[in-house]
């Protein structure tokens, strides 16, 4: 198992797309957070120039920037699950080296989860620090508050579970295209839009995950704990299905 993890880690970290997507996620989100906060710092809470005229509680400010990185995380997970099924059929070499398919699947999923969690925490922690440093929110950006740290844990978990869902869909479909088609629209706002007039949309995986770092008083999301359980349920069911497909299907 150690040799398998080492080889899969090498494969993941020597892929150019991994570094490109990770760097764009971090380095793209932070400047946008600064621009967004600095441009609205002097505006009144009910200004028409703001996205919402309803004041956002300080512990939730900055988390709207999660949407940009979400797309890139889904792309990373989709590529990680579907790239080996391309024209080169690298998956054959992988399984010749390690015939125990379940171990391969678990190693791939675990490595993706660790990498995405690191990217998510670094990106969103930097984003929230910049948000409170650029805007006069009354919160020390270098210490933050327990509520903000809880929300940072929530957004990290939401990104990680979303990546695992995309990985599972890509594994089942043997392509990176299907998770991009199915999940990217949800993370760019379709899920939140549907939740505005259909209560069932709150149980979609990305909308449920968003409940872990968005203001529940808005009425658009589930309770944070319930949202986390719903998204985790989606991830577990899809990973189980993907694991069965990966171990039992012919190449």
């Amino acid at each position: 198992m150690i040799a398998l993890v080492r080889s899969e880690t090498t494969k993941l970290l020597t892929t150019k797309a991994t570094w490109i997507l990770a760097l764009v996620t971090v380095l793209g989100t932070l400047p946008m957070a600064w621009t967004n906060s600095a441009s609205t710092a002097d505006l009144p809470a009910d200004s028409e120039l703001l996205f919402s005229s309803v004041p956002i509680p300080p512990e939730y400010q900055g988390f709207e920037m999660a949407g940009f990185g979400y797309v890139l995380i889904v792309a990373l997970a989709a590529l990680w699950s579907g790239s080996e099924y391309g024209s080169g059929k690298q998956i054959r070499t992988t399984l010749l080296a390690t015939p125990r398919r379940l171990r391969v699947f678990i190693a791939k999923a675990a490595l993706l989860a660790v990498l995405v969690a690191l990217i998510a925490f670094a990106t969103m922690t930097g984003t929230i620090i910049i948000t409170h440093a650029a805007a006069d929110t009354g919160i020390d950006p270098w210490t933050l508050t327990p509520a903000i740290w809880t929300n940072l844990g929530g957004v990290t978990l939401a990104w990680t579970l979303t990546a695992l869902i995309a990985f599972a869909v890509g594994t089942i479909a043997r392509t990176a295209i299907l998770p991009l088609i199915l999940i990217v629209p949800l993370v760019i706002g379709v899920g939140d839009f549907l939740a505005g007039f259909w209560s069932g949309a709150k149980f979609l995986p990305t909308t449920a995950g968003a409940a872990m770092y968005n203001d529940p008083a808005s009425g658009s999301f589930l309770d944070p704990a319930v949202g986390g359980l719903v998204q985790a349920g989606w991830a577990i069911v899809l990973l189980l299905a993907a694991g069965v497909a990966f171990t039992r299907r012919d190449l």
Side-chain angles (χ1 to χ4, degrees):
M1 190 66 179
I2 294 175
L4 172 61
V5 171
R6 187 184 298 116
S7 64
E8 290 298 315
T9 302
T10 301
K11 190 186 300 179
L12 179 60
L13 297 182
T14 54
T15 303
K16 290 182 180 180
T18 299
W19 288 100
I20 292 172
L21 290 170
L23 289 174
V24 172
T25 300
V26 178
L27 300 180
T29 305
L30 300 187
M32 288 195 298
W34 175 268
T35 302
N36 183 61
S37 299
S39 63
T40 60
D42 298 327
L43 296 177
D46 58 352
S47 173
E48 295 179 355
L49 298 177
L50 295 176
F51 177 75
S52 174
S53 60
V54 179
I56 301 174
E59 60 268 26
Y60 296 102
Q61 291 182 18
F63 287 95
E64 68 276 4
M65 302 304 300
F68 175 75
Y70 240 140
V71 176
L72 299 172
I73 289 303
V74 171
L76 175 61
L79 289 172
W80 180 234
S81 64
S83 60
E84 291 199 59
Y85 294 99
S87 58
K89 294 293 183 183
Q90 185 179 351
I91 189 64
R92 294 177 178 174
T93 304
T94 299
L95 295 181
L96 281 173
T98 311
R100 296 186 178 183
R101 296 189 179 193
L102 184 59
R103 286 190 178 186
V104 175
F105 180 80
I106 292 173
K108 283 180 172 291
L111 286 173
L112 177 67
V114 171
L115 179 61
V116 170
L118 291 174
I119 295 172
F121 186 76
T123 302
M124 292 310 300
T125 300
T127 296
I128 300 306
I129 289 174
I130 288 173
T131 296
H132 292 289
D136 184 15
T137 62
I139 293 177
D140 184 352
W142 303 112
T143 58
L144 302 179
T145 65
I148 292 176
W149 285 113
T150 299
N151 290 333
L152 282 170
V155 72
T156 299
L157 180 59
W159 279 26
T160 303
L161 290 174
T162 300
L164 289 175
I165 290 171
F167 170 78
V169 172
T171 301
I172 293 171
R174 299 185 185 183
T175 177
I177 297 176
L178 188 60
L180 293 175
I181 293 175
L182 293 179
I183 300 176
V184 167
L186 296 178
V187 301
I188 62 175
V190 173
D192 295 348
F193 172 74
L194 292 175
F197 59 87
W198 176 45
S199 59
K202 297 179 181 180
F203 293 88
L204 292 172
T206 56
T207 310
M212 292 189 281
Y213 58 89
N214 277 288
D215 185 6
S218 66
S220 299
F221 302 99
L222 299 170
D223 178 80
V226 175
L229 290 174
V230 169
Q231 191 182 33
W234 276 97
I236 291 170
V237 169
L238 287 171
L239 284 171
L240 288 174
V244 171
F246 186 82
T247 55
R248 296 188 178 183
R249 279 189 314 197
D250 291 337
L251 290 179

